[in-house]
Amino acid sequence: AQTVTQSQPEMSVQEAETVTLSCTYDTSESNYYLFWYKQPPSRQMILVIRQEAYKQQNATENRFSVNFQKAAKSFSLKISDSQLGDTAMYFCASNSGGYQKVTFGIGTKLQVIP
Amino acid sequence: DVKVTQSSRYLVKRTGEKVFLECVQDMDHENMFWYRQDPGLGLRLIYFSYDVKMKEKGDIPEGYSVSREKKERFSLILESASTNQTSMYLCASRGSRGGWNTQYFGPGTRLTVL
């Protein structure tokens, strides 16, 4: 069974600053994928960034990057130059290979302060 | 753009009523999912379907059933609604390339059972 843990229920950051959201996971699979999803207030959940476990290089998408520490089973999300539109719930998620089920963490509510 | 739509944004029902939540996707995705989202619990998988007429239980299937008669449509049924089923319900779809594929989410249905 997979588990995903997000230990920061709420965070805040000043506009233009950098913030890091933590996520740890546990899986017995050797091949798996990790995701960060964003759910803005009253809007649909969308993918922010994803990482394949067998790739050493950390994924980046514009201002979003991850710090993937496979041995520690850690997958944190760094948001640089935070913008007001980054205010949202952020969910860390994982799934294994071709298996259809995705396991989500409980989410971190991020508030960007002007 | 992938579009996942849900039949209602807000729904209020009485205890004991039969409730249908509809989800439609327009990307010919094989896989569709129903989650419920509760504060402090994140997203929990209720059921998923990997093909027409095929379904599998997720983590919390009790009190729910599903139907997938057409590829684009996945319905969640509450046979006899109870107050503990008051929640946000999210539908998602995903293509068949396995674990790498992102899930695309609908806007959610906030169900209140009185």
Side-chain angles (χ1 to χ4, degrees):
Chain A
Q2 298 177 98
T3 59
V4 177
T5 303
Q6 293 179 252
S7 57
Q8 305 153 314
E10 294 191 27
M11 294 187 73
S12 62
V13 62
Q14 291 290 138
E15 198 174 3
E17 297 293 306
T18 295
V19 64
T20 298
L21 279 57
S22 301
C23 172
T24 59
Y25 62 92
D26 194 16
T27 179
S28 57
E29 302 290 333
S30 56
N31 181 28
Y32 55 91
Y33 303 88
L34 299 163
F35 305 85
W36 278 99
Y37 284 89
K38 169 185 176 181
Q39 187 181 39
S42 302
R43 291 178 60 190
Q44 281 167 255
M45 185 140 19
I46 57 171
L47 178 72
V48 175
I49 197 165
R50 56 186 170 176
Q51 173 88 36
E52 297 180 74
Y54 65 85
K55 283 194 173 175
Q56 303 270 3
Q57 190 171 3
N58 288 326
T60 61
E61 288 286 343
N62 301 313
R63 296 182 297 106
F64 298 88
S65 62
V66 298
N67 183 4
F68 175 46
Q69 302 288 326
K70 192 171 184 177
K73 293 186 177 175
S74 170
F75 184 62
S76 59
L77 175 69
K78 184 170 88 170
I79 306 173
S80 304
D81 185 25
S82 297
Q83 300 175 0
L84 296 178
D86 295 333
T87 291
M89 282 288 287
Y90 287 83
F91 292 95
C92 181
S94 78
N95 81 307
S96 301
Y99 188 51
Q100 304 300 345
K101 183 181 164 184
V102 178
T103 301
F104 286 83
I106 65 171
T108 295
K109 186 176 182 179
L110 177 67
Q111 180 77 40
V112 180
I113 302 165
Chain B
D1 275 356
V2 174
K3 199 152 195 178
V4 180
T5 56
Q6 294 183 230
S7 49
S8 306
R9 288 300 301 270
Y10 299 93
L11 209 52
V12 179
K13 295 292 182 180
R14 297 277 178 195
T15 302
E17 280 193 80
K18 191 168 186 175
V19 182
F20 292 86
L21 303 182
E22 302 281 332
C23 175
V24 177
Q25 51 96 2
D26 67 356
M27 278 301 291
D28 202 36
H29 284 166
E30 286 78 7
N31 305 294
M32 296 187 74
F33 307 81
W34 275 107
Y35 295 91
R36 64 177 280 177
Q37 181 180 5
D38 299 288
L41 296 176
L43 275 69
R44 293 178 293 166
L45 181 65
I46 304 172
Y47 268 97
F48 68 95
S49 169
Y50 51 91
D51 202 350
V52 175
K53 297 192 187 293
M54 306 303 288
K55 61 186 179 186
E56 283 205 23
K57 293 179 180 179
D59 298 317
I60 51 164
E62 296 79 20
Y64 303 95
S65 62
V66 290
S67 171
R68 189 149 180 222
E69 297 296 319
K70 292 186 177 181
K71 193 174 185 180
E72 67 271 18
R73 188 179 298 269
F74 191 34
S75 302
L76 180 69
I77 303 154
L78 287 66
E79 295 289 342
S80 178
S82 63
T83 54
N84 62 13
Q85 292 178 311
T86 291
S87 186
M88 171 70 87
Y89 290 87
L90 297 179
C91 175
S93 74
R94 188 172 82 183
S96 64
R97 273 187 54 228
W100 175 245
N101 274 10
T102 184
Q103 296 193 345
Y104 293 89
F105 286 86
T109 295
R110 186 164 294 281
L111 173 67
T112 301
V113 182
L114 301 175

PDB file of all heavy atoms in Angstrom, chain A residues 10-22:
ATOM      1  N   GLU A  10      -1.112  24.291   6.751  1.00  0.00           N
ATOM      2  CA  GLU A  10      -1.232  25.640   6.210  1.00  0.00           C
ATOM      3  C   GLU A  10       0.127  26.304   6.189  1.00  0.00           C
ATOM      4  O   GLU A  10       0.949  26.102   7.098  1.00  0.00           O
ATOM      5  CB  GLU A  10      -2.183  26.485   7.067  1.00  0.00           C
ATOM      6  CG  GLU A  10      -3.625  26.025   7.036  1.00  0.00           C
ATOM      7  CD  GLU A  10      -4.573  27.030   7.660  1.00  0.00           C
ATOM      8  OE1 GLU A  10      -4.269  28.234   7.652  1.00  0.00           O
ATOM      9  OE2 GLU A  10      -5.621  26.598   8.165  1.00  0.00           O
ATOM     10  N   MET A  11       0.326  27.112   5.149  1.00  0.00           N
ATOM     11  CA  MET A  11       1.549  27.903   5.055  1.00  0.00           C
ATOM     12  C   MET A  11       1.213  29.240   4.431  1.00  0.00           C
ATOM     13  O   MET A  11       0.208  29.368   3.714  1.00  0.00           O
ATOM     14  CB  MET A  11       2.595  27.193   4.200  1.00  0.00           C
ATOM     15  CG  MET A  11       3.113  25.901   4.783  1.00  0.00           C
ATOM     16  SD  MET A  11       4.465  25.250   3.813  1.00  0.00           S
ATOM     17  CE  MET A  11       5.781  26.379   4.246  1.00  0.00           C
ATOM     18  N   SER A  12       2.093  30.205   4.688  1.00  0.00           N
ATOM     19  CA  SER A  12       1.936  31.495   4.025  1.00  0.00           C
ATOM     20  C   SER A  12       3.302  31.979   3.560  1.00  0.00           C
ATOM     21  O   SER A  12       4.340  31.580   4.098  1.00  0.00           O
ATOM     22  CB  SER A  12       1.282  32.512   4.959  1.00  0.00           C
ATOM     23  OG  SER A  12       2.098  32.729   6.087  1.00  0.00           O
ATOM     24  N   VAL A  13       3.269  32.820   2.541  1.00  0.00           N
ATOM     25  CA  VAL A  13       4.515  33.352   1.974  1.00  0.00           C
ATOM     26  C   VAL A  13       4.240  34.751   1.432  1.00  0.00           C
ATOM     27  O   VAL A  13       3.135  35.024   0.934  1.00  0.00           O
ATOM     28  CB  VAL A  13       5.049  32.413   0.867  1.00  0.00           C
ATOM     29  CG1 VAL A  13       4.066  32.300  -0.288  1.00  0.00           C
ATOM     30  CG2 VAL A  13       6.421  32.861   0.383  1.00  0.00           C
ATOM     31  N   GLN A  14       5.205  35.599   1.518  1.00  0.00           N
ATOM     32  CA  GLN A  14       5.066  36.936   0.942  1.00  0.00           C
ATOM     33  C   GLN A  14       5.213  36.839  -0.566  1.00  0.00           C
ATOM     34  O   GLN A  14       5.996  36.031  -1.085  1.00  0.00           O
ATOM     35  CB  GLN A  14       6.141  37.878   1.493  1.00  0.00           C
ATOM     36  CG  GLN A  14       5.999  38.243   2.959  1.00  0.00           C
ATOM     37  CD  GLN A  14       4.812  39.143   3.226  1.00  0.00           C
ATOM     38  OE1 GLN A  14       4.092  38.969   4.200  1.00  0.00           O
ATOM     39  NE2 GLN A  14       4.604  40.121   2.356  1.00  0.00           N
ATOM     40  N   GLU A  15       4.469  37.676  -1.237  1.00  0.00           N
ATOM     41  CA  GLU A  15       4.584  37.764  -2.688  1.00  0.00           C
ATOM     42  C   GLU A  15       6.045  37.977  -3.059  1.00  0.00           C
ATOM     43  O   GLU A  15       6.773  38.738  -2.396  1.00  0.00           O
ATOM     44  CB  GLU A  15       3.724  38.936  -3.169  1.00  0.00           C
ATOM     45  CG  GLU A  15       3.378  38.921  -4.623  1.00  0.00           C
ATOM     46  CD  GLU A  15       2.418  40.030  -4.994  1.00  0.00           C
ATOM     47  OE1 GLU A  15       2.063  40.849  -4.105  1.00  0.00           O
ATOM     48  OE2 GLU A  15       2.010  40.094  -6.171  1.00  0.00           O
ATOM     49  N   ALA A  16       6.490  37.284  -4.132  1.00  0.00           N
ATOM     50  CA  ALA A  16       7.851  37.350  -4.686  1.00  0.00           C
ATOM     51  C   ALA A  16       8.870  36.514  -3.896  1.00  0.00           C
ATOM     52  O   ALA A  16      10.002  36.356  -4.356  1.00  0.00           O
ATOM     53  CB  ALA A  16       8.367  38.768  -4.813  1.00  0.00           C
ATOM     54  N   GLU A  17       8.474  35.985  -2.751  1.00  0.00           N
ATOM     55  CA  GLU A  17       9.385  35.136  -1.986  1.00  0.00           C
ATOM     56  C   GLU A  17       9.285  33.682  -2.458  1.00  0.00           C
ATOM     57  O   GLU A  17       8.451  33.331  -3.300  1.00  0.00           O
ATOM     58  CB  GLU A  17       9.068  35.236  -0.493  1.00  0.00           C
ATOM     59  CG  GLU A  17       9.261  36.621   0.097  1.00  0.00           C
ATOM     60  CD  GLU A  17      10.713  37.038   0.098  1.00  0.00           C
ATOM     61  OE1 GLU A  17      11.558  36.298   0.628  1.00  0.00           O
ATOM     62  OE2 GLU A  17      11.015  38.129  -0.457  1.00  0.00           O
ATOM     63  N   THR A  18      10.150  32.852  -1.866  1.00  0.00           N
ATOM     64  CA  THR A  18      10.184  31.423  -2.198  1.00  0.00           C
ATOM     65  C   THR A  18       9.615  30.614  -1.038  1.00  0.00           C
ATOM     66  O   THR A  18       9.853  30.950   0.133  1.00  0.00           O
ATOM     67  CB  THR A  18      11.633  30.977  -2.487  1.00  0.00           C
ATOM     68  OG1 THR A  18      12.080  31.652  -3.670  1.00  0.00           O
ATOM     69  CG2 THR A  18      11.711  29.470  -2.702  1.00  0.00           C
ATOM     70  N   VAL A  19       8.884  29.572  -1.361  1.00  0.00           N
ATOM     71  CA  VAL A  19       8.304  28.715  -0.324  1.00  0.00           C
ATOM     72  C   VAL A  19       8.479  27.260  -0.738  1.00  0.00           C
ATOM     73  O   VAL A  19       8.484  26.938  -1.933  1.00  0.00           O
ATOM     74  CB  VAL A  19       6.810  29.047  -0.113  1.00  0.00           C
ATOM     75  CG1 VAL A  19       5.984  28.747  -1.367  1.00  0.00           C
ATOM     76  CG2 VAL A  19       6.233  28.330   1.096  1.00  0.00           C
ATOM     77  N   THR A  20       8.650  26.393   0.251  1.00  0.00           N
ATOM     78  CA  THR A  20       8.800  24.960   0.000  1.00  0.00           C
ATOM     79  C   THR A  20       7.738  24.182   0.767  1.00  0.00           C
ATOM     80  O   THR A  20       7.603  24.352   1.986  1.00  0.00           O
ATOM     81  CB  THR A  20      10.198  24.467   0.419  1.00  0.00           C
ATOM     82  OG1 THR A  20      11.176  25.151  -0.372  1.00  0.00           O
ATOM     83  CG2 THR A  20      10.327  22.971   0.177  1.00  0.00           C
ATOM     84  N   LEU A  21       7.007  23.349   0.040  1.00  0.00           N
ATOM     85  CA  LEU A  21       5.978  22.498   0.625  1.00  0.00           C
ATOM     86  C   LEU A  21       6.529  21.079   0.723  1.00  0.00           C
ATOM     87  O   LEU A  21       7.102  20.566  -0.237  1.00  0.00           O
ATOM     88  CB  LEU A  21       4.726  22.496  -0.252  1.00  0.00           C
ATOM     89  CG  LEU A  21       3.755  23.666  -0.131  1.00  0.00           C
ATOM     90  CD1 LEU A  21       4.436  25.002  -0.401  1.00  0.00           C
ATOM     91  CD2 LEU A  21       2.576  23.479  -1.071  1.00  0.00           C
ATOM     92  N   SER A  22       6.338  20.459   1.868  1.00  0.00           N
ATOM     93  CA  SER A  22       6.924  19.142   2.120  1.00  0.00           C
ATOM     94  C   SER A  22       5.957  18.011   1.805  1.00  0.00           C
ATOM     95  O   SER A  22       4.738  18.150   1.953  1.00  0.00           O
ATOM     96  CB  SER A  22       7.344  19.033   3.591  1.00  0.00           C
ATOM     97  OG  SER A  22       8.267  20.031   3.914  1.00  0.00           O
TER      98      SER A  22
END
